[in-house]
Amino acid sequence: MIYFFNQDTEKPEQGFFSNSKVLVDQQQQIFEKLWEVAIQLSIRSKELKHQESQEFHKMLTGFIEIRNEVYSLIAQSKRDLVIYSSIKILNSFIYEDSFWNHYLVLLKRGVNIRILTDDYDSELLRHINEINRTNKNNQIQIGYSNKLGNIEELMIICDGKDLLRITYDNLRNFVASFTNKEHQILVQEILFEKYWNEIKSLANVNNN
């Protein structure tokens, strides 16, 4: 193992070599923990590109392109991740391990995750319970109600600044739009909070 030190210069000023197993193991453990919660360079680059534009909007077609955008948006979350979806559309994405692997990383990163769907789904709940059992300090929150009406869309809001909305076209194929426009995001956040609070209030009444 080699340490490099520098203070006020770009180039290293000192180096330190050690073959101590204890030191090597300690540094390896630190690296593994940081690696688990790190954001991939490609995802971070995409995030910075979106931030460079004051208002950004694009359309996506094709399941693979949309799925990749879903994964990318989820992976770059730092504080809050909100998903509001038709259970039918959400089910199109949840049956791949890579979808759930992102959530394990987000919980370790301390991201607050809330999912709201228009109906109960045992498979979705099973996945979430499995993930929550691995992290007692920060868990995925889920709410569902068949009183939300016919949603027929999936919306993902990342950190209150990026919005991905997936719907159907006339041929029942997925189409998606991605935007960072503040007013559009604010409207969807207000709607989500309205439905989320209604469902939680109803749950409290039923429990009492």
Side-chain angles (χ1 to χ4, degrees):
M1 177 182 66
I2 301 177
Y3 283 102
F4 288 107
F5 304 92
N6 71 314
Q7 294 181 346
D8 300 322
T9 62
E10 294 182 0
K11 296 181 179 180
E13 296 178 341
Q14 290 181 308
F16 171 74
F17 175 82
S18 174
N19 62 357
S20 167
K21 188 176 187 305
V22 174
L23 281 176
V24 172
D25 288 345
Q26 287 177 345
Q27 294 304 313
Q28 182 69 31
Q29 290 176 11
I30 293 173
F31 176 84
E32 294 295 341
K33 290 180 180 179
L34 292 174
W35 184 263
E36 283 183 355
V37 300
I39 299 176
Q40 295 180 19
L41 180 59
S42 60
I43 294 173
R44 179 58 177 158
S45 298
K46 181 182 291 187
E47 179 186 7
L48 291 173
K49 182 179 179 181
H50 292 165
Q51 290 176 355
E52 289 175 358
S53 173
Q54 291 185 349
E55 287 197 349
F56 181 87
H57 185 273
K58 70 176 180 180
M59 297 296 299
L60 303 100
T61 58
F63 180 78
I64 300 300
E65 183 183 20
I66 294 172
R67 183 197 62 189
N68 291 342
E69 193 68 32
V70 169
Y71 291 174
S72 175
L73 189 59
I74 290 173
Q76 73 186 38
S77 300
K78 299 185 183 70
R79 300 185 309 275
D80 297 290
L81 181 68
V82 165
I83 297 177
Y84 170 54
S85 178
S86 153
I87 193 65
K88 183 178 179 180
I89 297 180
L90 186 59
N91 279 345
S92 300
F93 297 93
I94 69 173
Y95 291 108
E96 296 186 34
D97 291 338
S98 52
F99 179 83
W100 295 107
N101 289 340
H102 291 302
Y103 289 93
L104 291 169
V105 175
L106 295 188
L107 291 178
K108 292 178 181 178
R109 198 183 292 162
V111 176
N112 179 42
I113 304 172
R114 291 183 294 167
I115 300 174
L116 179 60
T117 66
D118 60 354
D119 205 355
Y120 170 83
D121 185 86
S122 59
E123 189 67 14
L124 173 64
L125 198 60
R126 182 184 68 81
H127 279 292
I128 291 176
N129 287 337
E130 287 179 358
I131 292 175
N132 284 343
R133 278 196 291 267
T134 68
N135 195 323
K136 300 297 183 182
N137 297 323
N138 184 27
Q139 299 194 331
I140 298 173
Q141 303 173 65
I142 182 169
Y144 48 85
S145 173
N146 55 12
K147 297 182 179 180
L148 295 177
N150 191 18
I151 298 177
E152 291 215 331
E153 64 182 0
L154 183 156
M155 286 187 298
I156 301 175
I157 303 175
C158 172
D159 295 333
K161 62 183 182 180
D162 294 314
L163 168 66
L164 180 67
R165 181 171 179 262
I166 303 171
T167 57
Y168 296 108
D169 63 15
N170 293 333
L171 300 176
R172 303 296 291 177
N173 296 317
F174 286 140
V175 292
S177 62
F178 178 91
T179 185
N180 63 358
K181 293 182 178 180
E182 292 184 4
H183 69 282
Q184 291 187 18
I185 296 172
L186 180 60
V187 169
Q188 298 304 326
E189 284 183 320
I190 291 173
L191 286 174
F192 176 87
E193 293 296 341
K194 174 181 180 294
Y195 292 133
W196 182 265
N197 291 331
E198 286 178 357
I199 289 174
K200 292 304 175 183
S201 297
L202 182 60
N204 291 334
V205 170
N206 291 336
N207 289 335
N208 293 332

